[in-house]
């Protein structure tokens, strides 16, 4: 392996990992990512004379200045996100450093900037991609730093002297950098061992030092997933094709998991509801003005009543950052548990606000998502009624609102379908059966472009997605005086056998209807054909790989991202309890030994022969490990683990003979100085042996780096000259 190529590869690995970690948080737009990829790839081929061309260097300096000015103008004049401007310029600066690799110092700049990128990614990203980049950094950083140090020493000891034209130093540094003798498998293996203490030190710091929270570093914005159907409106002419989106937005861990759960489960997660329909879209009538903050006691929130673990079952939900910040609630949920986040050592609880349509939104998550537990009553208690204090007339007027331009045919159809029904629930069942039996599900927006999309769906196309079915049922029931509201959420989830949770995709977004009956409160109806309520399901090897990555992402988020001060306190308590149990066992054992008397004490203190065998095996293993480490260290110091050629062995023998002769004359060469550099120092001081030392050092370099082999006869001749030169000094 050529030294320069291995060093270049190690530094480029760090640079790429740093850029990936920096851009993994979704801050860089696709155009910027493409430009960075092209720039890094092009910089790899910048070699030789072009790196020292003044016009090339000047062009890059001008590019950096213009890039900085452009980013500042975009941030302060055109409203571009300031964080995005900083990240883009940092990426441009790294490409500039990679394109100007003239010496070891330039490579060090790239390494330092890559490490800064990793630190910045700790705040901006923190996902599974960051974990992969971190592992790569731990492995590649010792390579880059070790090789960078060697290159700096080579250039410092040889290149400076060669440029100064000093006598006795005819060294071609470029040839040394191209040499295959400097870097071997032993050097890379030895430097890789440095990753072990780095990992251990990182783990100790992570566990012992408390998380201080996001605090002032929380300036990341724009990373949330935008999910249609949960904002302020639902338009019948849009987002029907969202059911083809495989993006995972939340994960659910139901309480009744078995060893082999079904691959698909159709649990319903309620998100938002809408009460006003204008003929094309649904909206909410001043829902925020009537929102109430849920009561909280510790980390438990009361929705309809306080959660009771003895009678309620928990649904654990891991929610990705969403816009809008809607809390998705299983049917019948009575309350929630949300652990506090610690910032600067103080707990910070999430605020939950419920509107008058039972939609719940959260605040204070700072764009990092939410992990919560929804408590649902067991058995028949899950269908708790929800009653309202509003006056009946105002309540009925709100949930029976209809657009003025609604076709009379819709009312006539609803009256015909519900002619034999008397109660609100009977009418709802009649309309639900009518839509399920006479209409088909499709993702094609066949009625979306019509002037009256609902009428077109009911009387012409008779095909649409879930919003058409729920809208048709809600409007038809309203025409016959039944209070209804349109509800959006998720229905279904795909089982992830690696992480043991159900993954809910954007493709599982769904819409249904809630009907109000004074005797039971709100009741759920779903007029969408059952064959259409299961979202996109991928199969095959790619789906298995996605499931495995998603499980790893969940574990990373749970054990690393979610590792806070409360978790550390729990670990400390568990460790202390384990220590107490261990100490208690020792105390009981000590008491038993004392009670047994002198004979029991002798038996307890007697060392069995098995312990001697175990001790001997431990000594042998330790000695073997120590020998292996010494072999690796020796290989590293000698430039690799491959066997030395006769010429290289002769060169090392010549160097030892030179050091012995110089020491006999009072000139002790420090290990930090090469033979050539030390010979140059002797020339400066005018030492009598300086000329011979310079000639021998030059011959050593030629033999050591393979330019001209050193045979046995020449070696003995040079050693004899060195002994003769040292004898007068020794005799005197």
């Amino acid at each position: 392996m050529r030294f320069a190529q291995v060093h270049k590869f190690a530094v480029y690995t760090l640079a790429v990992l740093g850029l990936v970690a920096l851009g993994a948080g979704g801050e860089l737009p696709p155009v910027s990512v493409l430009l960075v990829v092209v720039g890094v790839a092009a910089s790899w081929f910048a070699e030789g004379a072009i790196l020292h061309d003044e016009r090339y260097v000047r062009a890059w300096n001008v590019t950096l200045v213009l890039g900085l000015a452009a980013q500042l103008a975009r941030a302060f004049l055109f409203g571009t996100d300031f964080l995005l401007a900083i990240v883009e310029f940092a990426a441009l600066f790294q490409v500039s450093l990679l394109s100007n690799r003239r010496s070891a110092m330039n490579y060090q700049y790239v390494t330092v900037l890559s490490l800064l990128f990793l630190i910045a990614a700790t705040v901006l990203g923190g996902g599974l991609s960051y974990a992969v980049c971190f592992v790569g950094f731990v492995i590649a950083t010792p390579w880059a730093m070790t090789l960078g140090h060697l290159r700096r020493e080579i250039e410092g000891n040889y290149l400076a002297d060669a440029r100064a034209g000093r006598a006795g130093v005819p060294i071609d540094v470029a040839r040394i950098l191209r040499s295959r003798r400097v870097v071997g498998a032993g050097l890379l293996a030895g430097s890789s061992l440095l990753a072990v203490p780095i990992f251990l030190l990182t783990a100790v710091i992570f566990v012992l030092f408390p998380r201080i929270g996001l605090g002032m570093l929380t300036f990341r914005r724009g990373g949330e997933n935008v999910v249609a159907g949960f904002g302020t409106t639902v338009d019948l002419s849009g987002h029907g094709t969202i059911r083809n989106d495989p993006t995972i937005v939340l994960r659910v861990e139901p309480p009744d998991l078995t060893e082999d759960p079904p691959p698909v489960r159709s649990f319903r997660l309620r998100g938002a509801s809408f009460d006003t329909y204008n003929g094309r879209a649904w909206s909410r009538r001043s829902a925020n003005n009537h929102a109430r903050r849920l009561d909280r006691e510790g980390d438990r929130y009361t929705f309809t009543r306080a959660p009771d673990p003895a009678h309620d079952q928990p649904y654990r939900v891991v929610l990705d950052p969403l816009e809008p910040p809607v809390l998705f609630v299983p049917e019948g949920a009575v309350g929630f548990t949300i652990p506090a986040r610690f910032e600067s050592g103080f707990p910070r609880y999430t605020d939950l606000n419920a509107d008058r349509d039972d939609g719940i939104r959260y605040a204070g998550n700072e764009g990092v998502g939410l992990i919560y537990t929804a408590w649902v009553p067991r058995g028949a208690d899950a269908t708790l009624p929800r009653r309202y204090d509003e006056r009946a007339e105002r309540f009925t007027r709100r949930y029976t609102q209809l657009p003025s331009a609604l076709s009379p045919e819709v009312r006539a159809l609803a009256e015909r379908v519900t002619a034999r029904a008397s109660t609100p629930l009977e009418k709802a069942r009649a309309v639900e059966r009518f839509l399920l039996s006479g209409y088909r599900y499709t993702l094609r927006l066949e009625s979306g472009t019509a002037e009256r999309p609902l009428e077109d769906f009911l009387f012409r196309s008779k095909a649409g997605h879930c919003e058409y079915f729920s809208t048709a049922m809600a409007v038809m029931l309203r025409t016959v005086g039944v209070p209804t509201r349109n509800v959006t959420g998720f229905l279904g989830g795909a089982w992830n056998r690696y992480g043991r949770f159900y993954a809910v995709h954007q493709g599982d977004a769904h819409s249904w209807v809630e009907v109000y009956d004074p005797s039971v409160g709100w009741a759920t109806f779903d007029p969408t054909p059952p064959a259409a309520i299961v979202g996109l399901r991928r199969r095959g090897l790619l789906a298995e790989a996605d499931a495995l990555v998603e499980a790893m992402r969940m574990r990373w988020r749970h054990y690393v991202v979610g590792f806070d001060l409360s978790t550390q306190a729990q670990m400390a308590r568990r460790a202390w309890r384990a220590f107490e149990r261990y100490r208690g066992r020792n105390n009981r054992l000590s008491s038993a030994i004392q009670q047994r008397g002198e004979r029991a004490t002798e038996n307890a203190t007697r060392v069995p022969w098995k312990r001697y065998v175990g001790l001997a095996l431990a000594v042998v293993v330790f000695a073997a490990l120590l020998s292996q480490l010494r072999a690796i260290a020796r290989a590293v110091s000698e430039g690799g683990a491959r066997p030395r050629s006769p010429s290289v062995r002769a060169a090392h023998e010549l160097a030892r003979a030179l050091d012995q002769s110089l020491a006999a004359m009072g000139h002790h060469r420090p290990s930090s100085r090469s033979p050539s550099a030390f010979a140059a120092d002797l020339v400066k001081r005018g030492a009598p042996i300086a000329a011979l030392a310079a000639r021998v050092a030059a011959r050593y370099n030629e033999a050591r780096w393979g330019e001209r082999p050193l045979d046995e006869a020449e070696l003995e001749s040079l050693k004899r000259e060195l002994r003769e030169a040292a004898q007068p000094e020794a005799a005197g």
Side-chain angles (χ1 to χ4, degrees), residues 413-436:
L413 176 64
E415 292 176 348
R416 184 171 68 253
V417 171
T418 61
R420 298 182 179 181
S422 57
T423 67
L425 294 184
E426 291 177 352
K427 293 179 180 180
R429 295 189 188 99
V431 174
E432 185 182 48
R433 287 194 301 269
F434 171 75
L435 293 174
L436 286 172

Side-chain angles (χ1 to χ4, degrees), residues 39 132 160 169-170 245 257 284-285 339 347 350 392 400 402-403 478 533 578 586 620 631 705:
V132 175
V169 196
D245 192 342
L257 285 178
R284 289 196 299 272
R285 186 183 303 172
T350 301
T400 57
L402 291 169
R478 286 187 175 193
I533 64 177
N586 285 348
V620 171
W705 308 111

